[in-house]
Amino acid sequence: MSTAPGVNDFALKLANVNGTGSASANGLLMQSIFRMGVPVSGKNLFPSNIQGLPTWYEIRVNGAGHTARSLEYHLMVAMNAQTYAQDVASVASGGYVLYDSSWPLDDDLIREDVNYLGVPLAAMCREHFTKNRERILMKNVAYAGALVALLDIDLDIVSTLLAETFAKNEALRESNQRALRLGYDVARENFPCPLPFRVEARGENQDSILVDGNTAIALGCLYAGATVVGWYPITPATAVMDNFIALCKRYRRVEVAPGEWENNYCVIQAEDEIAAIGMVLGASWAGARAFTSTAGPGISLMNELLGLAYYTEIPAVVVDVQRVGPSTGMPTRTQQGDLLACAYASHGDTRHIIVIPADPHEAFEFAVAAFDLAERFQTPVFVLSDLDIGMNDWIVPSLTWDDSFVPNRGRVLHDEDLANMREFFRYAHEDDDHVTARTLPGSDEKGAYFIRGSGHDRFGRYTEESGAYLQVVDRLRAKHASAAHHVPAPLEVRRPGSRVGLVTMGSCDRAVREAIELLAEQGVDCDYLRVRAFPFADSIRDFVDSHESCFVIEQNRDAQLKSLLTVELSLTPASMTSILDYGGFPLSASTVVEAVLAHQEVH
């Protein structure tokens, strides 16, 4: 699906070597375009090793606000000789390749339909900088400077960003500014600037921020009142905890005397994920708001204790930043492969509540909602993010907070409640949502109870009697079903007369929304539904049944969303057609458009 680039409508790809410091320069470009008020997105495609392998950073500029990944690149910055061939091959016809002309390009890399912009980056840096590491780092800033000239990015904005970044280090600030100007000047002196496609300042980001999902989730957990964390480091979820710890150091400290401070939080790095979830359950049982963050391998290890929490009805929040599996898989690639693992985590009959954000803004909001849901329904709740949301920067509406927010702690009995009771039973006297009351340690002794993961009846007593067991687990099933009325509702957009429906979840959202516009241009009108939580609302079944063709778009091999919809809503598999993209990269609109059109031609 080739389109001509133009003002605020193009994509560039920057090819580098992991570990050379290119991420800072690439982020500098994206942040500068954001500050110019232009919709932009950045996708960091990096390997899981520490350094030495190829890495790419993709920037898409789109004045219409389409910021899903583009598969068409109008400008390639080729900084890695190892990938020259594939990088040059991926440039759109008529596009440009910026390369380090300190060394000549091989003849077999020359395409007649591509324009080459040679900048002697290494030679320039050898001349103007003395230290080897400094030369490597400044080469990145120099190519950023060249791009600033070529794309008409506001030089003052870029300079200001550099000044802010290195405000406390005058030497680094000076060397970065010098490298930026070197690249800028050589481009202006040797090439027509700007290129036919360029950035033009707009005012469209005034009420927006640029943020990654891991930061947003950490903020949500802080604002929700989380004070206890048990965790084990894992890509791509580690930054959730890094950010949460930093926020706690700033906002979870209490001055108990002049100059004396106490931490009002507890973060424990466990020996493994099993211990981490165990700590969370202990803290939650004791009355704290507690959570852990992990990825697919961690979910696998936590299964037994998640089943314990489900059966004994202990609140907990688990943030799952999904990556490619199975096993170790590809830790720095994105996927949506944990849906079924989270929905049914543990052996036996279990069903868990899941909230599924589409971007960092929802990640913030859904993190807060997860704690209320966990305590209201006394059960584990999963926040199902992914690497694309978690580790890439997104433009989203500014995060807002209501100072009048009061956490929903669910059915908790206090001493005054217990005083009016003859006897307390932990699993008896359910409410309309099939939730029973709990007590917290330290309450009146009348509220004490023994908790067990083995068979128990509604009074909390040990049993292996079938009828008593069924009474408990059937209530748990009803409780989970009742949560469908309290989780985030599906987001639905209909067009009059549409006979095609597109169903998706999570970070696929922006690509699917863009695909709907492109399909409409080709005469195919589509309705849209985004699943935002499990258990499912009945309206999803109605949506599928009301369309002649219904496509379920997801990023896993085994059609997990379609499978879960089929089982939980009693839909027929034939009523839905899968569009699956699971190679580890963020979804693009063109993938969806091509699949829908191909299906329409066949049928």
Side-chain angles (χ1 to χ4, degrees):
M1 295 179 60
S2 181
T3 57
V7 175
N8 292 340
D9 189 11
F10 61 90
L12 62 147
K13 190 170 185 176
L14 303 103
N16 289 277
V17 177
N18 202 36
T20 57
S22 59
S24 298
N26 300 337
L28 176 71
L29 292 166
M30 182 181 166
Q31 292 170 44
S32 299
I33 297 169
F34 170 77
R35 288 199 180 185
M36 291 178 70
V38 180
V40 62
S41 64
K43 304 296 185 185
N44 193 11
L45 314 177
F46 61 103
S48 57
N49 72 326
I50 295 175
Q51 70 178 52
L53 288 181
T55 182
W56 292 270
Y57 191 77
E58 301 174 351
I59 297 176
R60 184 181 182 188
V61 179
N62 187 271
H66 296 308
T67 53
R69 185 183 181 222
S70 174
L71 297 181
E72 187 174 50
Y73 309 108
H74 307 105
L75 172 60
M76 173 66 65
V77 180
M79 301 296 294
N80 183 3
Q82 181 182 347
T83 62
Y84 269 173
Q86 69 183 89
D87 293 334
V88 170
S90 67
V91 180
S93 181
Y96 293 77
V97 174
L98 188 155
Y99 69 100
D100 188 348
S101 60
S102 302
W103 303 276
L105 282 180
D106 293 339
D107 291 341
D108 57 1
L109 296 174
I110 304 301
R111 283 175 50 188
E112 293 184 359
D113 63 335
V114 168
N115 305 286
Y116 290 82
L117 308 170
V119 179
L121 294 163
M124 288 164 44
C125 290
R126 281 198 302 269
E127 179 182 350
H128 290 88
F129 301 98
T130 56
K131 299 177 182 177
N132 287 335
R133 182 61 179 170
E134 185 181 36
R135 288 169 173 170
I136 294 173
L137 296 175
M138 291 307 108
K139 186 167 69 168
N140 298 320
V141 182
Y143 77 61
L147 290 172
V148 168
L150 291 165
L151 299 174
D152 210 14
I153 299 172
D154 191 318
L155 181 61
D156 290 339
I157 288 178
V158 184
S159 296
T160 300
L161 275 167
L162 280 177
E164 292 172 358
T165 302
F166 301 105
K168 297 181 180 180
N169 191 319
E170 183 178 351
L172 279 176
R173 185 168 66 251
E174 189 280 329
S175 60
N176 275 269
Q177 295 284 9
R178 183 153 38 108
L180 177 72
R181 194 74 205 200
L182 283 171
Y184 181 86
D185 288 343
V186 77
R188 296 273 297 184
E189 292 166 5
N190 292 279
F191 310 118
C193 293
L195 296 176
F197 50 88
R198 60 187 178 84
V199 182
E200 183 179 274
R202 301 276 179 88
E204 299 184 21
N205 297 330
Q206 293 176 344
D207 298 320
S208 300
I209 58 172
L210 198 61
V211 66
D212 65 87
N214 285 345
T215 299
I217 286 176
L219 278 167
C221 294
L222 179 86
Y223 288 139
T227 56
V228 178
V229 167
W231 75 295
Y232 187 78
I234 187 171
T235 301
T238 296
V240 173
M241 286 307 167
D242 290 341
N243 287 304
F244 184 76
I245 292 168
L247 289 165
C248 284
K249 288 179 178 178
R250 183 171 180 179
Y251 297 109
R252 286 262 187 273
R253 302 187 71 219
V254 179
E255 189 172 14
V256 294
E260 294 184 22
W261 296 80
E262 286 186 0
N263 293 334
N264 189 25
Y265 66 96
C266 177
V267 178
I268 303 174
Q269 182 175 323
E271 61 268 33
D272 55 33
E273 289 88 349
I274 302 171
I277 189 62
M279 294 171 182
V280 169
L281 298 186
S284 295
W285 176 79
R289 284 201 150 182
F291 77 103
T292 189
S293 66
T294 190
I299 297 295
S300 298
L301 289 170
M302 294 178 186
N303 262 240
E304 183 176 1
L305 285 176
L306 289 168
L308 171 71
Y310 172 82
Y311 192 29
T312 56
E313 301 182 69
I314 301 174
V317 171
V318 179
V319 176
D320 179 8
V321 188
Q322 298 170 96
R323 70 190 208 188
V324 173
S327 188
T328 304
M330 295 190 288
T332 57
R333 296 286 187 258
T334 195
Q335 205 172 74
Q336 295 174 321
D338 296 351
L339 179 62
L340 291 177
C342 292
Y344 301 130
S346 193
H347 56 276
D349 293 320
T350 54
R351 279 189 177 91
H352 299 293
I353 296 172
I354 304 174
V355 293
I356 312 171
D359 58 36
H361 188 274
E362 280 194 343
F364 167 77
E365 293 184 331
F366 288 9
V368 178
F371 286 92
D372 277 5
L373 288 165
E375 293 196 309
R376 179 169 187 164
F377 290 94
Q378 300 174 15
T379 194
V381 174
F382 291 87
V383 180
L384 203 58
S385 180
D386 62 40
L387 184 145
D388 185 21
I389 295 173
M391 297 192 71
N392 286 322
D393 288 327
W394 296 58
I395 292 180
V396 296
S398 298
L399 306 181
T400 58
W401 188 248
D402 181 2
D403 287 333
S404 64
F405 167 76
V406 177
N408 183 343
R409 303 305 304 268
R411 293 190 67 191
V412 178
L413 299 180
H414 302 287
D415 288 354
E416 57 270 25
D417 304 307
L418 294 165
N420 297 320
M421 300 177 63
R422 188 173 67 84
E423 196 170 4
F424 166 72
F425 296 109
R426 173 65 180 92
Y427 301 115
H429 309 300
E430 64 191 80
D431 64 12
D432 291 342
D433 288 322
H434 309 282
V435 180
T436 61
R438 64 179 178 132
T439 57
L440 301 179
S443 299
D444 185 276
E445 63 181 13
K446 191 186 293 184
Y449 64 94
F450 183 72
I451 195 167
R452 63 174 76 241
S454 53
H456 55 266
D457 63 14
R458 62 193 296 265
F459 303 108
R461 299 176 302 212
Y462 172 76
T463 185
E464 294 188 19
E465 197 276 317
S466 295
Y469 166 80
L470 291 175
Q471 193 173 39
V472 171
V473 295
D474 287 350
R475 179 180 61 80
L476 292 179
R477 178 177 58 188
K479 181 178 74 169
H480 181 267
S482 182
H485 303 292
H486 302 279
V487 298
L491 193 152
E492 189 172 338
V493 179
R494 298 224 182 202
R495 294 183 175 216
S498 296
R499 295 182 297 177
V500 176
L502 304 185
V503 177
T504 193
M505 64 176 173
S507 59
C508 296
D509 173 70
R510 296 194 182 188
V512 176
R513 286 178 175 273
E514 182 181 356
I516 289 173
E517 292 190 17
L518 295 172
L519 285 164
E521 293 173 3
Q522 301 196 44
V524 180
D525 288 331
C526 300
D527 291 336
Y528 175 71
L529 185 142
R530 175 160 60 85
V531 175
R532 301 200 297 170
F534 175 72
F536 298 134
D538 289 338
S539 60
I540 301 175
R541 181 194 300 109
D542 299 335
F543 182 90
V544 174
D545 288 342
S546 65
H547 292 91
E548 292 180 8
S549 298
C550 199
F551 297 87
V552 181
I553 302 132
E554 51 187 312
Q555 291 197 280
N556 56 71
R557 185 195 66 183
D558 294 340
Q560 294 187 27
L561 177 58
K562 177 184 173 183
S563 299
L564 197 60
L565 291 169
T566 299
V567 171
E568 296 290 335
L569 295 178
S570 300
L571 291 163
T572 59
S575 66
M576 297 172 285
T577 300
S578 288
I579 297 177
L580 307 174
D581 184 75
Y582 48 91
F585 297 120
L587 183 68
S588 69
S590 59
T591 300
V592 178
V593 172
E594 290 168 7
V596 171
L597 292 179
H599 184 272
Q600 296 291 99
E601 290 177 4
V602 172
H603 295 80

